[in-house]
Amino acid sequence: WIIEDYSIDDVFTVIESADIEKDFYDFAVKSVDVKENVQMKITLFVKDGKCAIAFRWNHMVFDGGGFKQMIKDITDNYHRFRIGKTDQITFRTGTRKYNRVYEDMEHGDEAKKKYKKTFIKDSKALPYTKKTKEDEIFLIKRTLPNDVLVKMKEAGKECGGTLNDVFVSAYLRACYRLMECDRNDSVTISCAMDLRRYIKDVDSIGYTNHTNFMPCTVSKMGDSIRDTIKELSENTKALKADEFNGLHGLPLLNIGYNTMIYLQAEIVVKMVYYNANLQVTNMGVIGGERYQFDGHDITDAYLGGSAKYKPTSAVCVYTVADKLIYTQPLKGNEKDREVSEKLFDLIEEELRSL
């Protein structure tokens, strides 16, 4: 990273909006120009006393966990500003280094030797069209009411799984149906892991990336979603019990970036980070007291990672105001949008069947 001169106008804009949802969408589907001196854009849309704040950033700046840290800092700073404590406005300036994950571990030195990446390659993919230059970014979003969320929690408890296991099971079953693959074949979805779990004081680090992936695999579709939840939960228990879960392959990544030129390092990155066709990220709860803007709750949100090239399907799931929301950004065409909408229909159908 190179620090360049910039002004606040390069980063932040306020717009009086006639249609907040449309303006938000139009802002969100634009790409970040890697040649610009700033790699983040923030816009505040205002209409009739309501506000929406939109962020767009280079995915190398930080991951979902880093974004949640930043939102927390912004809401805290907004409160301090409102009560006149402008001298206490601050942002995290701690380390961005990947090896911070080892420092608090009992066997950190052993973790640094985990060169071999543990992933499961699965060539199965959703029936998207082939990539073309005409492909554009589009965003899919689905919101389900609290009663579905309640049923998911109950089903997870009954089947010995987590809320994440329930959603991933619905996603897996939707893929089986949409891909029309043999229901007795195995299917794997790569589930993002926040490696900040290994850092005792996450407030001591800066905004950065601390993400790896865990393979969530079932050997067959199963007769019902509860069957899928039970198998998935059982299959992931051993991975979750691994003291170094999510840390395998990181040392190889470090060697690549520190001993090779950029293009060579990119080859190593692709060896370490297999870009799975099916991915999911659970962002957890967004909102509540932790993210209030001076007493005002967040009522809705669109969160998503970088727009993926086909055939990668990267779904993001989270809760806002007791609602379940799942999203997907993708570069494609109208036929691809129809595939993604059908995927979301099937996920909803599976969840409502609980």
Side-chain angles (χ1 to χ4, degrees):
W1 293 97
I2 299 173
I3 298 174
E4 299 279 4
D5 289 335
Y6 67 94
S7 71
I8 188 63
D9 293 332
D10 295 328
V11 182
F12 182 67
T13 308
V14 179
I15 293 179
E16 292 285 345
S17 175
D19 186 335
I20 286 183
E21 286 195 12
K22 180 180 182 303
D23 288 342
F24 183 96
Y25 186 93
D26 291 344
F27 172 89
V29 295
K30 293 178 181 175
S31 298
V32 176
D33 186 350
V34 295
K35 295 179 181 179
E36 286 192 21
N37 63 335
V38 294
Q39 292 297 291
M40 175 184 287
K41 300 285 186 180
I42 306 172
T43 299
L44 179 67
F45 299 104
V46 183
K47 180 188 178 185
D48 301 332
K50 294 184 178 180
C51 300
I53 186 166
F55 299 79
R56 186 177 70 238
W57 69 92
N58 182 325
H59 72 100
M60 294 297 289
V61 174
F62 48 59
D63 55 15
F67 177 66
K68 288 180 73 171
Q69 287 180 311
M70 188 177 201
I71 289 292
K72 178 65 171 65
D73 290 345
I74 288 174
T75 55
D76 287 347
N77 284 334
Y78 182 70
H79 175 68
R80 294 178 188 123
F81 176 81
R82 295 279 292 176
I83 63 176
K85 294 184 177 181
T86 54
D87 60 320
Q88 295 182 19
I89 290 177
T90 184
F91 285 91
R92 296 166 205 244
T93 56
T95 180
R96 287 172 47 84
K97 292 182 178 180
Y98 91 97
N99 55 13
R100 177 64 181 84
V101 297
Y102 302 126
E103 293 181 13
D104 299 329
M105 294 184 66
E106 182 179 355
H107 302 116
D109 289 339
E110 186 177 346
K112 293 177 183 178
K113 300 174 184 177
K114 299 293 180 180
Y115 291 96
K116 187 177 180 181
K117 182 74 176 97
T118 55
F119 59 74
I120 298 173
K121 283 193 175 184
D122 193 335
S123 61
K124 299 180 189 68
L126 296 175
Y128 292 121
T129 63
K130 292 183 178 181
K131 289 185 288 186
T132 69
K133 293 181 180 179
E134 288 73 35
D135 287 341
E136 296 181 345
I137 296 173
F138 62 81
L139 310 177
I140 302 293
K141 178 185 175 187
R142 186 66 55 91
T143 302
L144 301 184
N146 182 249
D147 64 298
V148 175
L149 198 56
V150 170
K151 288 181 180 178
M152 289 173 66
K153 292 176 181 177
E154 291 173 351
K157 189 174 182 180
E158 290 171 13
C159 299
T162 63
L163 191 63
N164 191 64
D165 291 332
V166 176
F167 182 81
V168 175
S169 295
Y171 185 7
L172 280 162
R173 294 178 64 81
C175 289
Y176 270 103
R177 295 167 67 181
L178 193 52
M179 295 187 297
E180 297 183 347
C181 60
D182 189 325
R183 297 195 174 198
N184 289 314
D185 280 352
S186 65
V187 173
T188 296
I189 290 177
S190 287
C191 185
M193 283 183 58
D194 189 345
L195 301 183
R196 290 171 183 81
R197 67 184 64 197
Y198 295 110
I199 301 173
K200 291 181 180 178
D201 181 14
V202 292
D203 289 332
S204 67
I205 65 172
Y207 310 115
T208 187
N209 285 279
H210 278 304
T211 298
N212 209 339
F213 288 87
M214 180 178 74
C216 293
T217 304
V218 290
S219 62
K220 59 184 181 300
M221 181 175 175
D223 294 330
S224 71
I225 187 171
R226 279 179 163 75
D227 293 332
T228 313
I229 296 168
K230 289 173 183 176
E231 185 186 354
L232 179 64
S233 174
E234 193 63 35
N235 290 347
T236 56
K237 279 180 182 177
L239 292 171
K240 293 175 181 177
D242 178 9
E243 181 184 358
F244 308 111
N245 188 21
L247 300 177
H248 299 271
L250 289 185
L252 184 60
L253 186 68
N254 182 52
I255 289 175
Y257 275 120
N258 282 294
T259 63
M260 302 176 185
I261 62 173
Y262 181 77
L263 291 177
Q264 292 174 326
E266 284 292 287
I267 295 173
V268 174
V269 171
K270 289 176 181 177
M271 290 169 55
V272 177
Y273 286 95
Y274 165 64
N275 198 27
N277 291 334
L278 303 173
Q279 303 176 12
V280 65
T281 298
N282 187 338
M283 289 285 287
V285 178
I286 307 296
E289 267 186 57
R290 181 174 173 80
Y291 300 100
Q292 282 185 341
F293 282 83
D294 199 31
H296 297 283
D297 287 326
I298 296 174
T299 58
D300 198 4
Y302 178 94
L303 302 175
S306 58
K308 303 296 185 183
Y309 290 98
K310 297 174 289 187
T312 299
S313 167
V315 174
C316 182
V317 61
Y318 50 95
T319 61
V320 176
D322 294 325
K323 299 172 291 186
L324 179 78
I325 301 176
Y326 51 103
T327 67
Q328 182 205 49
L330 186 75
K331 287 186 177 180
N333 56 39
E334 195 56 37
K335 287 186 177 179
D336 299 317
R337 180 192 289 272
E338 291 173 6
V339 171
S340 290
E341 290 285 7
K342 181 62 177 176
L343 172 69
F344 276 35
D345 288 344
L346 294 173
I347 291 174
E348 179 176 351
E349 189 177 307
E350 291 288 345
L351 293 175
R352 288 186 179 276
S353 72
L354 290 167

mmCIF file of all heavy atoms in Angstrom, residues 49-83:
data_model
loop_
_atom_site.group_PDB
_atom_site.id
_atom_site.type_symbol
_atom_site.label_atom_id
_atom_site.label_comp_id
_atom_site.label_asym_id
_atom_site.label_seq_id
_atom_site.Cartn_x
_atom_site.Cartn_y
_atom_site.Cartn_z
ATOM 1 N N GLY A 49 -35.970 12.967 6.022
ATOM 2 C CA GLY A 49 -35.572 12.649 7.386
ATOM 3 C C GLY A 49 -35.003 11.266 7.578
ATOM 4 O O GLY A 49 -34.663 10.867 8.699
ATOM 5 N N LYS A 50 -34.915 10.492 6.496
ATOM 6 C CA LYS A 50 -34.317 9.163 6.575
ATOM 7 C C LYS A 50 -32.980 9.161 5.853
ATOM 8 O O LYS A 50 -32.772 9.918 4.908
ATOM 9 C CB LYS A 50 -35.247 8.114 5.966
ATOM 10 C CG LYS A 50 -36.544 7.936 6.749
ATOM 11 C CD LYS A 50 -37.379 6.812 6.162
ATOM 12 C CE LYS A 50 -38.646 6.598 6.976
ATOM 13 N NZ LYS A 50 -39.486 5.497 6.419
ATOM 14 N N CYS A 51 -32.074 8.287 6.307
ATOM 15 C CA CYS A 51 -30.719 8.248 5.742
ATOM 16 C C CYS A 51 -30.302 6.815 5.414
ATOM 17 O O CYS A 51 -30.705 5.872 6.083
ATOM 18 C CB CYS A 51 -29.701 8.823 6.734
ATOM 19 S SG CYS A 51 -30.003 10.528 7.214
ATOM 20 N N ALA A 52 -29.485 6.710 4.390
ATOM 21 C CA ALA A 52 -28.814 5.439 4.080
ATOM 22 C C ALA A 52 -27.357 5.772 3.803
ATOM 23 O O ALA A 52 -27.055 6.700 3.054
ATOM 24 C CB ALA A 52 -29.442 4.768 2.869
ATOM 25 N N ILE A 53 -26.460 5.046 4.450
ATOM 26 C CA ILE A 53 -25.039 5.273 4.231
ATOM 27 C C ILE A 53 -24.480 4.075 3.466
ATOM 28 O O ILE A 53 -24.723 2.918 3.822
ATOM 29 C CB ILE A 53 -24.280 5.504 5.565
ATOM 30 C CG1 ILE A 53 -22.830 5.886 5.286
ATOM 31 C CG2 ILE A 53 -24.387 4.320 6.491
ATOM 32 C CD1 ILE A 53 -22.114 6.448 6.501
ATOM 33 N N ALA A 54 -23.783 4.369 2.373
ATOM 34 C CA ALA A 54 -23.291 3.318 1.485
ATOM 35 C C ALA A 54 -21.773 3.327 1.440
ATOM 36 O O ALA A 54 -21.155 4.391 1.367
ATOM 37 C CB ALA A 54 -23.864 3.514 0.078
ATOM 38 N N PHE A 55 -21.190 2.138 1.478
ATOM 39 C CA PHE A 55 -19.733 1.963 1.425
ATOM 40 C C PHE A 55 -19.385 1.089 0.226
ATOM 41 O O PHE A 55 -20.056 0.084 -0.040
ATOM 42 C CB PHE A 55 -19.216 1.257 2.687
ATOM 43 C CG PHE A 55 -19.485 1.985 3.963
ATOM 44 C CD1 PHE A 55 -20.741 1.940 4.560
ATOM 45 C CD2 PHE A 55 -18.482 2.713 4.592
ATOM 46 C CE1 PHE A 55 -20.998 2.593 5.753
ATOM 47 C CE2 PHE A 55 -18.724 3.369 5.776
ATOM 48 C CZ PHE A 55 -19.983 3.319 6.359
ATOM 49 N N ARG A 56 -18.340 1.445 -0.466
ATOM 50 C CA ARG A 56 -17.807 0.618 -1.545
ATOM 51 C C ARG A 56 -16.294 0.661 -1.432
ATOM 52 O O ARG A 56 -15.711 1.742 -1.380
ATOM 53 C CB ARG A 56 -18.261 1.171 -2.906
ATOM 54 C CG ARG A 56 -17.886 0.301 -4.083
ATOM 55 C CD ARG A 56 -18.440 0.870 -5.390
ATOM 56 N NE ARG A 56 -17.761 2.101 -5.795
ATOM 57 C CZ ARG A 56 -18.361 3.263 -6.001
ATOM 58 N NH1 ARG A 56 -19.662 3.387 -5.811
ATOM 59 N NH2 ARG A 56 -17.670 4.323 -6.385
ATOM 60 N N TRP A 57 -15.649 -0.520 -1.354
ATOM 61 C CA TRP A 57 -14.201 -0.506 -1.140
ATOM 62 C C TRP A 57 -13.517 -1.670 -1.845
ATOM 63 O O TRP A 57 -14.143 -2.678 -2.162
ATOM 64 C CB TRP A 57 -13.864 -0.531 0.356
ATOM 65 C CG TRP A 57 -14.184 -1.808 1.062
ATOM 66 C CD1 TRP A 57 -13.366 -2.885 1.253
ATOM 67 C CD2 TRP A 57 -15.423 -2.158 1.711
ATOM 68 N NE1 TRP A 57 -14.005 -3.876 1.965
ATOM 69 C CE2 TRP A 57 -15.263 -3.454 2.260
ATOM 70 C CE3 TRP A 57 -16.639 -1.505 1.888
ATOM 71 C CZ2 TRP A 57 -16.281 -4.093 2.956
ATOM 72 C CZ3 TRP A 57 -17.648 -2.149 2.577
ATOM 73 C CH2 TRP A 57 -17.466 -3.420 3.097
ATOM 74 N N ASN A 58 -12.244 -1.499 -2.102
ATOM 75 C CA ASN A 58 -11.404 -2.573 -2.620
ATOM 76 C C ASN A 58 -11.390 -3.689 -1.577
ATOM 77 O O ASN A 58 -11.123 -3.445 -0.396
ATOM 78 C CB ASN A 58 -9.979 -2.025 -2.840
ATOM 79 C CG ASN A 58 -9.033 -3.048 -3.427
ATOM 80 O OD1 ASN A 58 -9.099 -4.234 -3.141
ATOM 81 N ND2 ASN A 58 -8.122 -2.577 -4.253
ATOM 82 N N HIS A 59 -11.655 -4.917 -2.004
ATOM 83 C CA HIS A 59 -11.767 -6.011 -1.028
ATOM 84 C C HIS A 59 -10.455 -6.304 -0.311
ATOM 85 O O HIS A 59 -10.445 -7.029 0.692
ATOM 86 C CB HIS A 59 -12.298 -7.279 -1.704
ATOM 87 C CG HIS A 59 -11.309 -7.943 -2.607
ATOM 88 N ND1 HIS A 59 -10.579 -9.018 -2.223
ATOM 89 C CD2 HIS A 59 -10.930 -7.671 -3.880
ATOM 90 C CE1 HIS A 59 -9.784 -9.397 -3.206
ATOM 91 N NE2 HIS A 59 -9.971 -8.593 -4.224
ATOM 92 N N MET A 60 -9.343 -5.756 -0.793
ATOM 93 C CA MET A 60 -8.074 -5.941 -0.091
ATOM 94 C C MET A 60 -7.923 -4.990 1.094
ATOM 95 O O MET A 60 -6.991 -5.118 1.888
ATOM 96 C CB MET A 60 -6.900 -5.736 -1.058
ATOM 97 C CG MET A 60 -6.824 -6.793 -2.151
ATOM 98 S SD MET A 60 -6.550 -8.448 -1.495
ATOM 99 C CE MET A 60 -4.850 -8.318 -0.959
ATOM 100 N N VAL A 61 -8.821 -4.011 1.216
ATOM 101 C CA VAL A 61 -8.748 -3.058 2.334
ATOM 102 C C VAL A 61 -9.106 -3.770 3.637
ATOM 103 O O VAL A 61 -8.364 -3.730 4.605
ATOM 104 C CB VAL A 61 -9.683 -1.858 2.098
ATOM 105 C CG1 VAL A 61 -9.710 -0.950 3.327
ATOM 106 C CG2 VAL A 61 -9.234 -1.066 0.880
ATOM 107 N N PHE A 62 -10.270 -4.386 3.661
ATOM 108 C CA PHE A 62 -10.642 -5.214 4.814
ATOM 109 C C PHE A 62 -11.778 -6.147 4.422
ATOM 110 O O PHE A 62 -12.421 -5.986 3.381
ATOM 111 C CB PHE A 62 -11.004 -4.397 6.051
ATOM 112 C CG PHE A 62 -11.968 -3.255 5.831
ATOM 113 C CD1 PHE A 62 -13.229 -3.462 5.321
ATOM 114 C CD2 PHE A 62 -11.604 -1.958 6.162
ATOM 115 C CE1 PHE A 62 -14.120 -2.427 5.136
ATOM 116 C CE2 PHE A 62 -12.483 -0.900 5.985
ATOM 117 C CZ PHE A 62 -13.750 -1.129 5.472
ATOM 118 N N ASP A 63 -12.011 -7.129 5.287
ATOM 119 C CA ASP A 63 -13.068 -8.111 5.054
ATOM 120 C C ASP A 63 -14.329 -7.709 5.817
ATOM 121 O O ASP A 63 -14.422 -6.598 6.349
ATOM 122 C CB ASP A 63 -12.583 -9.507 5.463
ATOM 123 C CG ASP A 63 -12.081 -9.544 6.908
ATOM 124 O OD1 ASP A 63 -12.362 -8.589 7.669
ATOM 125 O OD2 ASP A 63 -11.400 -10.515 7.292
ATOM 126 N N GLY A 64 -15.292 -8.623 5.889
ATOM 127 C CA GLY A 64 -16.538 -8.331 6.586
ATOM 128 C C GLY A 64 -16.332 -8.016 8.058
ATOM 129 O O GLY A 64 -16.989 -7.130 8.611
ATOM 130 N N GLY A 65 -15.407 -8.746 8.692
ATOM 131 C CA GLY A 65 -15.119 -8.481 10.105
ATOM 132 C C GLY A 65 -14.531 -7.096 10.304
ATOM 133 O O GLY A 65 -14.864 -6.395 11.268
ATOM 134 N N GLY A 66 -13.653 -6.690 9.391
ATOM 135 C CA GLY A 66 -13.079 -5.353 9.457
ATOM 136 C C GLY A 66 -14.125 -4.280 9.230
ATOM 137 O O GLY A 66 -14.106 -3.216 9.867
ATOM 138 N N PHE A 67 -15.071 -4.560 8.320
ATOM 139 C CA PHE A 67 -16.143 -3.613 8.053
ATOM 140 C C PHE A 67 -17.021 -3.420 9.290
ATOM 141 O O PHE A 67 -17.412 -2.295 9.627
ATOM 142 C CB PHE A 67 -16.977 -4.096 6.877
ATOM 143 C CG PHE A 67 -18.152 -3.209 6.566
ATOM 144 C CD1 PHE A 67 -17.956 -1.919 6.101
ATOM 145 C CD2 PHE A 67 -19.449 -3.668 6.744
ATOM 146 C CE1 PHE A 67 -19.042 -1.094 5.818
ATOM 147 C CE2 PHE A 67 -20.533 -2.848 6.465
ATOM 148 C CZ PHE A 67 -20.329 -1.564 5.996
ATOM 149 N N LYS A 68 -17.337 -4.520 9.980
ATOM 150 C CA LYS A 68 -18.150 -4.407 11.193
ATOM 151 C C LYS A 68 -17.430 -3.591 12.268
ATOM 152 O O LYS A 68 -18.046 -2.810 12.994
ATOM 153 C CB LYS A 68 -18.500 -5.799 11.726
ATOM 154 C CG LYS A 68 -19.518 -6.534 10.870
ATOM 155 C CD LYS A 68 -19.841 -7.910 11.425
ATOM 156 C CE LYS A 68 -20.698 -7.830 12.677
ATOM 157 N NZ LYS A 68 -21.181 -9.163 13.090
ATOM 158 N N GLN A 69 -16.094 -3.751 12.347
ATOM 159 C CA GLN A 69 -15.323 -2.931 13.284
ATOM 160 C C GLN A 69 -15.437 -1.454 12.919
ATOM 161 O O GLN A 69 -15.596 -0.596 13.790
ATOM 162 C CB GLN A 69 -13.855 -3.345 13.260
ATOM 163 C CG GLN A 69 -13.558 -4.679 13.935
ATOM 164 C CD GLN A 69 -12.078 -5.016 13.866
ATOM 165 O OE1 GLN A 69 -11.455 -4.950 12.813
ATOM 166 N NE2 GLN A 69 -11.508 -5.386 14.994
ATOM 167 N N MET A 70 -15.361 -1.159 11.624
ATOM 168 C CA MET A 70 -15.418 0.224 11.181
ATOM 169 C C MET A 70 -16.791 0.847 11.453
ATOM 170 O O MET A 70 -16.889 1.989 11.905
ATOM 171 C CB MET A 70 -15.082 0.333 9.700
ATOM 172 C CG MET A 70 -14.928 1.763 9.234
ATOM 173 S SD MET A 70 -14.445 1.883 7.513
ATOM 174 C CE MET A 70 -13.764 3.543 7.504
ATOM 175 N N ILE A 71 -17.863 0.091 11.184
ATOM 176 C CA ILE A 71 -19.213 0.588 11.454
ATOM 177 C C ILE A 71 -19.376 0.895 12.943
ATOM 178 O O ILE A 71 -19.956 1.919 13.330
ATOM 179 C CB ILE A 71 -20.273 -0.443 11.007
ATOM 180 C CG1 ILE A 71 -20.327 -0.505 9.489
ATOM 181 C CG2 ILE A 71 -21.646 -0.079 11.557
ATOM 182 C CD1 ILE A 71 -20.860 0.753 8.835
ATOM 183 N N LYS A 72 -18.849 0.008 13.783
ATOM 184 C CA LYS A 72 -18.911 0.245 15.231
ATOM 185 C C LYS A 72 -18.180 1.530 15.593
ATOM 186 O O LYS A 72 -18.675 2.348 16.388
ATOM 187 C CB LYS A 72 -18.281 -0.943 15.970
ATOM 188 C CG LYS A 72 -18.235 -0.790 17.498
ATOM 189 C CD LYS A 72 -19.630 -0.756 18.084
ATOM 190 C CE LYS A 72 -19.618 -0.826 19.608
ATOM 191 N NZ LYS A 72 -19.006 0.337 20.252
ATOM 192 N N ASP A 73 -17.025 1.764 15.010
ATOM 193 C CA ASP A 73 -16.266 2.984 15.292
ATOM 194 C C ASP A 73 -16.993 4.226 14.785
ATOM 195 O O ASP A 73 -16.987 5.278 15.434
ATOM 196 C CB ASP A 73 -14.875 2.897 14.662
ATOM 197 C CG ASP A 73 -13.995 1.879 15.369
ATOM 198 O OD1 ASP A 73 -14.342 1.471 16.490
ATOM 199 O OD2 ASP A 73 -12.970 1.472 14.787
ATOM 200 N N ILE A 74 -17.623 4.110 13.620
ATOM 201 C CA ILE A 74 -18.364 5.255 13.082
ATOM 202 C C ILE A 74 -19.543 5.615 13.981
ATOM 203 O O ILE A 74 -19.780 6.796 14.271
ATOM 204 C CB ILE A 74 -18.842 4.952 11.644
ATOM 205 C CG1 ILE A 74 -17.641 4.959 10.689
ATOM 206 C CG2 ILE A 74 -19.883 5.979 11.184
ATOM 207 C CD1 ILE A 74 -17.982 4.529 9.280
ATOM 208 N N THR A 75 -20.291 4.622 14.443
ATOM 209 C CA THR A 75 -21.431 4.915 15.313
ATOM 210 C C THR A 75 -20.962 5.493 16.643
ATOM 211 O O THR A 75 -21.583 6.420 17.182
ATOM 212 C CB THR A 75 -22.282 3.658 15.556
ATOM 213 O OG1 THR A 75 -21.462 2.606 16.080
ATOM 214 C CG2 THR A 75 -22.924 3.177 14.274
ATOM 215 N N ASP A 76 -19.863 4.975 17.186
ATOM 216 C CA ASP A 76 -19.307 5.532 18.427
ATOM 217 C C ASP A 76 -18.867 6.978 18.230
ATOM 218 O O ASP A 76 -19.122 7.859 19.064
ATOM 219 C CB ASP A 76 -18.117 4.696 18.910
ATOM 220 C CG ASP A 76 -18.531 3.359 19.490
ATOM 221 O OD1 ASP A 76 -19.738 3.180 19.753
ATOM 222 O OD2 ASP A 76 -17.658 2.494 19.663
ATOM 223 N N ASN A 77 -18.191 7.230 17.101
ATOM 224 C CA ASN A 77 -17.719 8.587 16.817
ATOM 225 C C ASN A 77 -18.875 9.554 16.602
ATOM 226 O O ASN A 77 -18.818 10.722 17.004
ATOM 227 C CB ASN A 77 -16.813 8.582 15.577
ATOM 228 C CG ASN A 77 -15.432 8.040 15.879
ATOM 229 O OD1 ASN A 77 -14.962 8.101 17.009
ATOM 230 N ND2 ASN A 77 -14.775 7.512 14.864
ATOM 231 N N TYR A 78 -19.931 9.061 15.969
ATOM 232 C CA TYR A 78 -21.102 9.909 15.740
ATOM 233 C C TYR A 78 -21.707 10.336 17.074
ATOM 234 O O TYR A 78 -22.083 11.509 17.263
ATOM 235 C CB TYR A 78 -22.130 9.148 14.901
ATOM 236 C CG TYR A 78 -23.363 9.941 14.568
ATOM 237 C CD1 TYR A 78 -23.301 11.005 13.663
ATOM 238 C CD2 TYR A 78 -24.589 9.646 15.148
ATOM 239 C CE1 TYR A 78 -24.440 11.743 13.349
ATOM 240 C CE2 TYR A 78 -25.728 10.376 14.839
ATOM 241 C CZ TYR A 78 -25.646 11.420 13.933
ATOM 242 O OH TYR A 78 -26.765 12.150 13.638
ATOM 243 N N HIS A 79 -21.773 9.398 18.008
ATOM 244 C CA HIS A 79 -22.296 9.719 19.341
ATOM 245 C C HIS A 79 -21.397 10.753 20.036
ATOM 246 O O HIS A 79 -21.899 11.726 20.616
ATOM 247 C CB HIS A 79 -22.400 8.452 20.185
ATOM 248 C CG HIS A 79 -22.810 8.701 21.601
ATOM 249 N ND1 HIS A 79 -24.072 9.140 21.946
ATOM 250 C CD2 HIS A 79 -22.107 8.601 22.770
ATOM 251 C CE1 HIS A 79 -24.136 9.293 23.258
ATOM 252 N NE2 HIS A 79 -22.970 8.964 23.779
ATOM 253 N N ARG A 80 -20.090 10.549 19.968
ATOM 254 C CA ARG A 80 -19.167 11.498 20.595
ATOM 255 C C ARG A 80 -19.307 12.890 19.986
ATOM 256 O O ARG A 80 -19.248 13.906 20.679
ATOM 257 C CB ARG A 80 -17.727 10.999 20.448
ATOM 258 C CG ARG A 80 -17.440 9.719 21.216
ATOM 259 C CD ARG A 80 -16.021 9.244 20.994
ATOM 260 N NE ARG A 80 -15.807 7.920 21.575
ATOM 261 C CZ ARG A 80 -15.383 6.857 20.907
ATOM 262 N NH1 ARG A 80 -15.127 6.969 19.608
ATOM 263 N NH2 ARG A 80 -15.213 5.706 21.506
ATOM 264 N N PHE A 81 -19.470 12.923 18.663
ATOM 265 C CA PHE A 81 -19.645 14.203 17.974
ATOM 266 C C PHE A 81 -20.919 14.896 18.444
ATOM 267 O O PHE A 81 -20.930 16.106 18.706
ATOM 268 C CB PHE A 81 -19.700 13.974 16.459
ATOM 269 C CG PHE A 81 -19.980 15.209 15.661
ATOM 270 C CD1 PHE A 81 -18.967 16.113 15.371
ATOM 271 C CD2 PHE A 81 -21.268 15.484 15.209
ATOM 272 C CE1 PHE A 81 -19.225 17.263 14.642
ATOM 273 C CE2 PHE A 81 -21.534 16.624 14.483
ATOM 274 C CZ PHE A 81 -20.518 17.521 14.201
ATOM 275 N N ARG A 82 -21.995 14.143 18.590
ATOM 276 C CA ARG A 82 -23.285 14.719 18.984
ATOM 277 C C ARG A 82 -23.261 15.301 20.392
ATOM 278 O O ARG A 82 -23.983 16.253 20.682
ATOM 279 C CB ARG A 82 -24.370 13.641 18.895
ATOM 280 C CG ARG A 82 -24.646 13.135 17.491
ATOM 281 C CD ARG A 82 -25.561 14.046 16.717
ATOM 282 N NE ARG A 82 -26.907 14.037 17.266
ATOM 283 C CZ ARG A 82 -27.900 14.803 16.842
ATOM 284 N NH1 ARG A 82 -27.675 15.660 15.864
ATOM 285 N NH2 ARG A 82 -29.099 14.725 17.366
ATOM 286 N N ILE A 83 -22.426 14.732 21.261
ATOM 287 C CA ILE A 83 -22.363 15.254 22.632
ATOM 288 C C ILE A 83 -21.174 16.183 22.835
ATOM 289 O O ILE A 83 -20.844 16.546 23.962
ATOM 290 C CB ILE A 83 -22.323 14.100 23.662
ATOM 291 C CG1 ILE A 83 -21.060 13.243 23.497
ATOM 292 C CG2 ILE A 83 -23.594 13.264 23.568
ATOM 293 C CD1 ILE A 83 -20.934 12.145 24.547
#
